[in-house]
Amino acid sequence: MRRTQRIRHAGELPGPSRTRSAPLVPVLAFAGITVAVMQTLLVPVIKDLPVLLDTSPADATWVMTATLLAGAVSTPIMGRLGDLYGKRRMLLASLAVMVAGSLVCASTDDLVVMITGRALQGFAMGAIPLGIGIMRDELPGERLGSAMGLMSSSIGVGGGLALPAAALVAQHADWHALFLGSAGLGLLAMALTYAFVPEPPLRAPGSFDVVGALGLSLGLVLLLLPVTKGGDWGWSSATTLGLLASSLVTLVLWGLFELRTPAPLVDLRTTARREVLLTNLASIMVGVAFYAVSLVLPQLLQLPTSTGYGLGQSMVVAGLCVAPLGLTMMFVAPLYARISARRGPKATLMLGMLVIAVGYGAGLGLLSAAWQTVLIAVVLGAGIGLAYSSLPALIIGAVDPSETGAANGLNTLMRSIGTSVSSAVIGMVLADTSVAVGAVRAPSMEGFRISFLIATGAVLVGLVLAAFLPARRPPRAPGAPGEQCGRPAGPPARAPGPRRERRPGRTARWVAVDRPLSRPAPPGGTP
């Protein structure tokens, strides 16, 4: 009997070093939280950006849009580069680009330079799928579930924790201090990564697909630009419709090219597998649900009480009320690992989406006091944390280890598309249902409730999609048959293949070596 097994040189210990893997999870989670901070860093000052940058409100929104576009483009590309040339190396590169972008933003009041720096900051979003890939390669099976859950949730944890911290800084210091703080966090994350995160030896075969990367980048930009700016340009304008049509043509041509190239940026045949496809579609729905609460609660909390429904809280208090969203996401990672070990990641994903639906449903009637917004944030944080934690486990269970970075990068992209769609749709709803408050217009309670209903509908669609995911057995306990070197056995349906052995050389590579897993028993004797 033969079985696929990863082995190392003689003299190397099988599996990860316990002493080196101990700090790996908190270090990678800190790196993920650091890059996620970039998404909400400017939320407390977003209404003041036209004055701060001496520009129009429409042009000021590019400061936020640039980060979103760069993050969406970078996640699949950095994931593939990590599979080819080293995940730790690409993680350090992502953090370095983020630090450079932060320093650029900290030194300017010019709109174009600020947009450039914010794009560099958004480029670091590729660090999250890279961290998940490192965890899969380096951690023993009994630690992998909760670790991946924490890393996957870091995008929400960082966004939630950044709101009160950024509000406090913006309220008491020059707004450029926000960027100096993010640069400091990035440098600390780089130092910790360099000191405590090893470089996994596994590499994907082939070379980097430059044409595929350019085609995907162009297609994503053409798609996300009208999604994020359609409210300003008009959804039926020639610019919006023309860009959407161009994105469709570009992505179709890109897909045809990827199917023909021997080493594609994204393996579309793998992506079309039922488990991968449905997980990615469900990720879009969870992204829609996640961003809705981030748009509604801060505005509701800061609206003046003279509106009759606003809660009249300061910027800092509003951030503190929303912060439990991120904290709860962080604390449910161990709970996810326990549930997933018994029921599998599919059940955990469905449970998370049910909790989200309950949170938004209850929120329709719990918007009249600050403590009620805290309760909503806690419930939604638990549901979103469970859902986000389940996604990487579903993805890596359906792809080859050499494709982990690219596959998780694509899944992170799907979440980004969900948040972009949520921002556009809910922004349009809040604008169309706004009411006059003195000389300005403000979002109405009707708009807030419609936004919650949209999020509920999205998560229920995701729940239906998740129901069609193939059932998977919970992972075996460490040391059970079919598990090697403390790692999960993987998808049970995958056919056995050749063993892979690491050859000596400057860069570690895994090559096929076909050997039996154990020695044959001697004739008539005991093995």
Side-chain angles (χ1 to χ4, degrees):
M1 179 180 179
R2 301 177 188 275
R3 184 178 290 142
T4 300
Q5 182 188 11
R6 200 170 79 172
I7 61 174
R8 302 176 184 260
H9 283 309
E12 288 189 83
L13 293 174
S17 167
R18 294 280 179 170
T19 57
R20 293 207 70 184
S21 68
L24 184 143
V25 175
V27 168
L28 290 177
F30 177 73
I33 291 171
T34 297
V35 301
V37 164
M38 300 307 106
Q39 290 193 323
T40 54
L41 185 68
L42 292 183
V43 168
V45 298
I46 190 170
K47 64 181 183 300
D48 302 320
L49 285 177
V51 175
L52 295 172
L53 297 173
D54 191 22
T55 186
S56 66
D59 289 341
T61 60
W62 285 102
V63 175
M64 306 297 290
T65 304
T67 306
L68 170 70
L69 293 177
V73 168
S74 71
T75 46
I77 291 176
M78 295 305 290
R80 177 60 178 168
L81 287 172
D83 288 338
L84 288 170
Y85 305 116
K87 300 179 182 71
R88 175 178 177 265
R89 183 180 301 171
M90 293 300 111
L91 174 58
L92 287 170
S94 297
L95 292 170
V97 172
M98 189 207 80
V99 171
S102 299
L103 294 176
V104 168
C105 292
S107 63
T108 186
D109 288 321
D110 181 79
L111 176 64
V112 175
V113 179
M114 181 65 68
I115 291 173
T116 303
R118 288 287 290 164
L120 293 175
Q121 284 186 318
F123 190 84
M125 286 302 297
I128 293 177
L130 290 169
I132 293 172
I134 293 173
M135 287 175 174
R136 179 183 185 174
D137 291 345
E138 292 297 319
L139 291 178
E142 67 271 14
R143 295 184 58 198
L144 187 58
S146 60
M148 287 195 309
L150 179 60
M151 191 69 193
S152 181
S153 299
S154 64
I155 187 171
V157 176
L161 296 181
L163 283 173
L168 187 63
V169 172
Q171 190 166 300
H172 297 286
D174 181 82
W175 71 294
H176 291 94
L178 294 170
F179 301 113
L180 294 176
S182 65
L185 288 174
L187 288 172
L188 178 58
M190 288 181 66
L192 292 173
T193 300
Y194 184 81
F196 296 109
V197 177
E199 180 65 82
L202 186 63
R203 298 285 188 275
S207 57
F208 183 67
D209 179 13
V210 177
V211 176
L214 293 174
L216 179 61
S217 300
L218 179 61
L220 289 175
V221 170
L222 292 174
L223 171 65
L224 293 176
L225 265 180
V227 168
T228 54
K229 303 290 289 183
D232 297 330
W233 296 340
W235 291 104
S236 59
S237 67
T239 302
T240 301
L241 296 178
L243 287 173
L244 288 173
S246 299
S247 72
L248 178 62
V249 173
T250 302
L251 291 173
V252 168
L253 293 176
W254 169 79
L256 293 174
F257 175 81
E258 292 293 280
L259 290 171
R260 295 171 179 267
T261 189
L265 176 72
V266 177
D267 189 341
L268 294 180
R269 292 180 177 86
T270 298
T271 305
R273 293 177 191 166
R274 182 172 60 148
E275 187 165 4
V276 179
L277 178 62
L278 291 177
T279 300
N280 284 332
L281 292 176
S283 299
I284 296 175
M285 299 298 109
V286 178
V288 171
F290 166 65
Y291 209 63
V293 66
S294 303
L295 289 173
V296 169
L297 292 189
Q299 295 190 70
L300 173 67
L301 284 159
Q302 293 182 73
L303 280 174
T305 54
S306 59
T307 59
Y309 53 88
L311 301 180
Q313 303 297 323
S314 69
M315 186 190 302
V316 174
V317 173
L320 290 173
C321 289
V322 180
L325 179 74
L327 290 173
T328 310
M329 290 178 67
M330 181 169 58
F331 290 139
V332 299
L335 175 63
Y336 153 75
R338 294 180 184 179
I339 299 175
S340 185
R342 298 186 58 153
R343 302 295 181 184
K346 172 186 174 180
T348 316
L349 175 61
M350 296 183 70
L351 175 62
M353 289 192 285
L354 278 174
V355 173
I356 297 171
V358 170
Y360 276 118
L364 292 173
L366 293 175
L367 295 174
S368 58
W371 69 266
Q372 293 177 357
T373 65
V374 174
L375 180 61
I376 294 171
V378 169
V379 175
L380 291 177
I384 295 168
L386 288 173
Y388 270 9
S389 298
S390 308
L391 299 175
L394 289 165
I395 292 295
I396 69 171
V399 302
D400 188 84
S402 65
E403 300 171 348
T404 300
N408 275 299
L410 183 63
N411 182 254
T412 304
L413 169 63
M414 294 299 106
R415 299 188 226 175
S416 298
I417 290 176
T419 58
S420 302
V421 171
S422 178
S423 176
V425 172
I426 293 177
M428 180 177 62
V429 168
L430 294 179
D432 290 345
T433 58
S434 62
V435 294
V437 180
V440 297
R441 299 190 67 83
S444 65
M445 180 58 77
E446 179 191 8
F448 291 146
R449 289 198 170 111
I450 292 175
S451 300
F452 273 25
L453 286 173
I454 291 172
T456 305
V459 80
L460 290 177
V461 171
L463 190 62
V464 173
L465 292 169
F468 288 95
L469 284 167
R472 290 174 53 79
R473 297 176 183 175
R476 294 182 177 91
E483 183 174 334
Q484 300 293 333
C485 298
R487 286 174 170 75
R494 186 170 293 174
R499 298 172 72 189
R500 287 175 289 183
E501 184 173 8
R502 187 180 176 192
R503 285 182 178 171
R506 194 170 176 184
T507 304
R509 299 280 173 179
W510 296 98
V511 294
V513 180
D514 193 15
R515 292 185 196 150
L517 186 63
S518 57
R519 292 176 297 176
T526 302

